[in-house]
Amino acid sequence: MAQLNSVNIRPGVNVLSVLPHLNYKAWYALAEFVDNAIQSSLDRQRELTAASGGHYQLHVDIRFLQQENCITIRDNAAGIAESDYQRAFRPAEIPPDASGLSEFGMGMKSAACWFAPNWAVRTTSLGENIERTVIFNIDAIVEDSIEELHVISTQVSAYKHYTEIRLDNIRRFPRGKTVQKIRDHLSSIYRAFIRENTMVLSVDGEPLRYLEPNILNAPSYRDPDGPAINWKKDIEIDLGDGKAASGFVAIRDPANTRLAGLALFRRKRLIMGSFDETYRPEDIFGRTNSFASQRLFGEIHLKGFHVSHTKDGIKWEEAEETFLEKLRAELSGEDFPLLQQVREYRSKRDVKSTRPSAAAALRSMAEQLNDQTLSSPTQCTDNQPPEPPTPDLSPAASPQLPDLPESEQEHAQFRMRFRGEDWIVDIELSYTDNGAEWLDISNRPAFTDPEPRQITIRIAMLHPYMAQFPTLDSESFAAVLNIAAAVALAEVAASELGDHHPSTIRRFTNEILKNQMSKRISDA
């Protein structure tokens, strides 16, 4: 075999200095190397299978070597053949067959330059007995206008086949949560290959797995007592001009605002909608707080579309509007009204999933109100002067509530002053499925009770009203709890006055919310 001593990287050497400024995300940059490995294994599938005794499986391993400020990507694909060397290392050299995952001739170069100013490629091709290494120093290449790079050759067995890319002096070294995000996104991008077991993709030696969402199995909203239905619909849409969309759309169980949405694929590789960056067009999903945006998900494989050169966007041209119009029609059909189901269905499990947020809001509310002084302002009635400040009779603030065991309720207590009287307020969040009223006063104090007056308020968290809000956070829950407590206190106070004017409850509710349950501007 003739010795390959150098590789020409002309034209476009100056392009290399621009590549670090591409709008990449780490997972899409790393995906470029994975794409090349997949395409190499597909191009020579028969030879690789024969060389492995009929049991070939692609392995790609990404390693983050923090102490060395280095990332390596190694695969057991077919390697870069001598005949492909000049094209493989020359910027923007489109491959002869651009119908696969390697189509722009820029993936490896752009991703490597985005990550690091120094990188090297070491590879040996199946059937060749030479391992070749090319080293890139981007600053030196650009400054000296270098157009040829030296190739370091080493003799190896002709049965070996691999490529290893080493990125040194990483500009944006992934750490901590970013590494986990890379794992999540890569498993999402390559789920089709992972699912069919044609590739093992590892990060730091740990194979990635794609967690399949659970699909809702429940009766139709039109027949709540009817048979359970698996809410998944297969999609086949002809968009004309050689363009098409196929796949499925389904309803998640339980809801998940962060992960709901569509994933768009081309050539089995995800392009848009990776992990928590899903595709959620308003025509299908509505606004961000809609039920569809919390439950709807799916995988759509597009045919006949071009993608951005970083492979993170679809070039729709004028086809997106038609696609969404036809997709909506598919999901709204009378025979399988999936969009209607996702809007109308309510799951008690979704409400229970927000229990930690509700409990946190309850604890926070009790702590905040317990910290109030007992001389909170009160409203004067008739011509009576306001009552003088009452000495602080409240006990020490309740200790922080421990994490409660799994049971049927969350509970907290606080002490406040309302209309010249001390009140101890117990609030229970009930998770029993008993068809209770949303708001109930289960321990109504008598008019003759001595101070402090005591009242127990129960809020039914599984009430249909609460089931409409399966993704409330603790701050939103706090607003609901404050209003519920104010209404209950106002009702008791109004009934004790013997006041038959309906506006009394509203007046007392406003007073409680303003004087007892609102943060002062100075505290904000």
Side-chain angles (χ1 to χ4, degrees), residues 14-303:
N14 289 331
V15 171
L16 299 177
S17 64
V18 178
L19 298 180
H21 306 291
L22 287 174
N23 189 27
Y24 262 132
K25 292 182 178 177
W27 41 91
Y28 279 114
L30 290 168
E32 297 285 8
F33 305 117
V34 181
D35 285 350
N36 287 346
I38 293 174
Q39 195 57 50
S40 172
S41 68
L42 293 174
D43 288 343
R44 302 184 65 181
Q45 184 72 44
R46 289 185 180 179
E47 297 168 75
L48 289 167
T49 301
S52 63
H55 302 288
Y56 174 75
Q57 184 183 44
L58 174 64
H59 286 251
V60 182
D61 185 41
I62 300 168
R63 303 221 173 218
F64 297 104
L65 309 176
Q66 185 172 340
Q67 290 186 339
E68 301 177 38
N69 194 19
C70 165
I71 299 174
T72 63
I73 306 97
R74 183 181 174 94
D75 67 67
N76 67 338
I80 303 175
E82 180 185 18
S83 59
D84 291 328
Y85 244 69
Q86 301 299 335
R87 176 194 59 76
F89 291 98
R90 190 178 296 134
E93 187 79 11
I94 297 175
D97 181 4
S99 62
L101 297 182
S102 302
E103 55 187 306
F104 298 111
M106 285 295 293
M108 177 180 69
K109 282 83 71 175
S110 59
C113 290
W114 183 83
F115 266 116
N118 306 99
W119 51 281
V121 180
R122 183 168 63 95
T123 182
T124 180
S125 180
L126 178 63
E128 298 181 7
N129 63 350
I130 301 293
E131 176 194 88
R132 300 181 177 89
T133 303
V134 178
I135 300 174
F136 280 73
N137 182 328
I138 303 305
D139 293 339
I141 290 171
V142 173
E143 184 177 349
D144 299 335
S145 297
I146 297 171
E147 296 183 350
E148 284 194 345
L149 298 179
H150 181 61
V151 177
I152 302 170
S153 300
T154 305
Q155 191 165 358
V156 295
S157 167
Y159 294 102
K160 289 190 174 183
H161 49 91
Y162 53 81
T163 297
E164 181 178 275
I165 299 169
R166 181 182 173 95
L167 312 173
D168 285 300
N169 301 319
I170 303 298
R171 296 187 180 90
R172 311 166 182 85
F173 198 93
R175 290 180 173 84
K177 293 182 179 179
T178 303
V179 175
Q180 184 56 49
K181 284 202 74 172
I182 288 171
R183 293 175 187 272
D184 293 332
H185 279 279
L186 289 178
S187 63
S188 180
I189 291 169
Y190 294 103
R191 69 183 76 171
F193 299 93
I194 294 172
R195 187 181 286 150
E196 66 187 14
N197 205 32
T198 56
M199 175 178 68
V200 175
L201 176 58
S202 302
V203 173
D204 288 333
E206 180 183 342
L208 302 184
R209 299 283 184 265
Y210 178 71
L211 183 62
E212 304 285 353
N214 290 328
I215 296 174
L216 178 66
N217 191 262
S220 169
Y221 73 97
R222 295 182 293 197
D223 184 13
D225 297 322
I229 298 170
N230 192 51
W231 287 98
K232 175 181 177 182
K233 182 173 178 60
D234 292 330
I235 302 297
E236 289 284 347
I237 299 175
D238 185 357
L239 297 168
D241 297 325
K243 295 182 174 65
S246 62
F248 74 88
V249 178
I251 300 177
R252 295 183 67 101
D253 185 26
N256 189 315
T257 302
R258 191 167 66 104
L259 299 180
L262 299 179
L264 304 183
F265 295 77
R266 192 196 61 152
R267 300 171 186 174
K268 293 172 63 175
R269 191 260 210 202
L270 184 144
I271 303 296
M272 287 180 65
S274 173
F275 187 52
D276 57 357
E277 298 177 347
T278 50
Y279 175 65
R280 285 186 250 197
E282 192 168 321
D283 291 19
I284 304 296
F285 288 82
R287 305 199 171 203
T288 54
N289 60 347
S290 70
F291 290 110
S293 68
Q294 301 163 15
R295 282 190 172 277
L296 214 60
F297 79 104
E299 297 181 4
I300 304 294
H301 293 259
L302 299 174
K303 180 181 178 183

Side-chain angles (χ1 to χ4, degrees), residues 295 345-353 431 433 462 467:
R295 282 190 172 277
Y345 179 74
R346 304 290 182 270
S347 169
K348 291 182 174 62
R349 190 192 313 178
D350 292 338
V351 179
K352 289 183 177 180
S353 71
Y431 286 88
D433 188 12
L462 300 185

